Amino acid sequence: MGRFDGVLLASDFDNTLIYTEDALLRGEPIPPLPERNRQALTYFMAEGGRFAISTGRALAAFEKYAPLVPMNAPGVICNGAALYDFAKQEYLVSALLDENARQRGQLVLDRFPEVAVEAYHIGNVIHAVHPNAITRHHEHLTKVAVTEAPSLLDVPLPLGKLLFEASHDVLEQIRDFLLAQGWGGDYELIFSGQNLLEMTAHGANKGGMVRRLAEYLGIGLDHVYCVGDEANDLPMLRLAAEGFAPANCIPAVRDSGATVVSHALDGALADVVEILEKRYR
């Protein structure tokens, strides 16, 4: 019996497990996984804990990094649109956008010509319409080239997520436009960065899918812990028995009541494991 038997720890990837903000904004190299995190997670799993990634990235944008991350549980991808077993290389659960999402997304592009959108196909292809500088920075970050399409209507189904890319003020206008059409009940509209607005199916967020992961593993929510830095992490931080955040988190995450640990550059996950070690003796 290990110290962490029956415990699930789920962590965001970008700017939580690894600090990638400089790579996204300035095209700098992506830093390696902090060694503190590697050692802590290896210890956590050796003591029976289950560690999972919970990322906004599509499978295509994360699978190159998956071998570099110590994990022993299926992961949440596409901001909660799917649960993927990296060991078996198969989807366990998916919550896909409805058939209206392409048309509605195209209305956004027609109304806001400066915005780009990435469409995450469940078949592991990332399509892009009106790619802009933010899209190109995102390609650098994910190491995956988008497949360009003239319109969203030309992008094949099924889709797990639409990712709108523009300045924050424009993205706020897009969110308000979608809500004004009465579509707020059909989708999750969550910022995953200043220049990134996620659109997934209603209920398809990190909190909902971490809950399903816990059920799949047979772990009660009173032993589920989550770590994240952005607004799209809030659903899982609220779900958790305790939510944690790196010191570089946005104010909304800090104000949510999450326990703030060290900066992502300094091994935030290692701090979390140290806290849990005192709780599970």
Side-chain angles (χ1 to χ4, degrees), residues 79-81 95 184-188 200-209 212 235:
N79 206 44
D186 297 332
Y187 308 109
E188 302 288 330
T200 55
H202 178 68
N205 57 48
K206 290 188 178 185
M209 203 54 81
R212 297 182 77 164

Side-chain angles (χ1 to χ4, degrees), residues 10 13 28 36 38 49 55 98 113 143 146 157 169 179 213 220 230 240 260 265 274:
F13 181 70
E28 295 183 6
R36 283 191 70 222
R38 182 180 303 282
T55 179
D98 60 30
K143 304 301 183 187
V146 299
L157 296 173
D169 61 323
L179 293 175
L213 173 60
E230 261 291 351
V260 178
L265 282 169
E274 288 176 3

Side-chain angles (χ1 to χ4, degrees), residues 109-187:
L109 295 179
D110 294 340
R111 186 179 180 91
F112 301 92
E114 69 271 44
V115 72
V117 65
E118 293 183 27
Y120 288 35
H121 190 270
I122 204 70
N124 212 19
V125 178
I126 301 175
H127 298 268
V129 182
H130 300 172
N132 58 20
I134 299 169
T135 313
R136 300 312 179 196
H137 284 302
H138 215 218
E139 285 181 306
H140 166 73
L141 177 65
T142 63
K143 304 301 183 187
V144 177
V146 299
T147 299
E148 295 187 32
S151 87
L152 269 177
L153 303 181
D154 296 299
V155 173
L157 296 173
L159 297 176
K161 182 178 82 171
L162 296 182
L163 179 65
F164 297 103
E165 300 168 326
S167 62
H168 191 71
D169 61 323
V170 171
L171 293 179
E172 288 182 321
Q173 293 176 50
I174 291 172
R175 178 200 58 198
D176 294 344
F177 168 75
L178 290 167
L179 293 175
Q181 310 313 305
W183 300 332
D186 297 332
Y187 308 109

Side-chain angles (χ1 to χ4, degrees), residues 7 31 78 150 184 197 208 219 221 225 248 258 271 281:
V7 178
C78 278
L197 176 64
I219 295 174
L221 293 181
Y225 301 91
N248 51 279
D271 287 357
R281 297 182 180 278

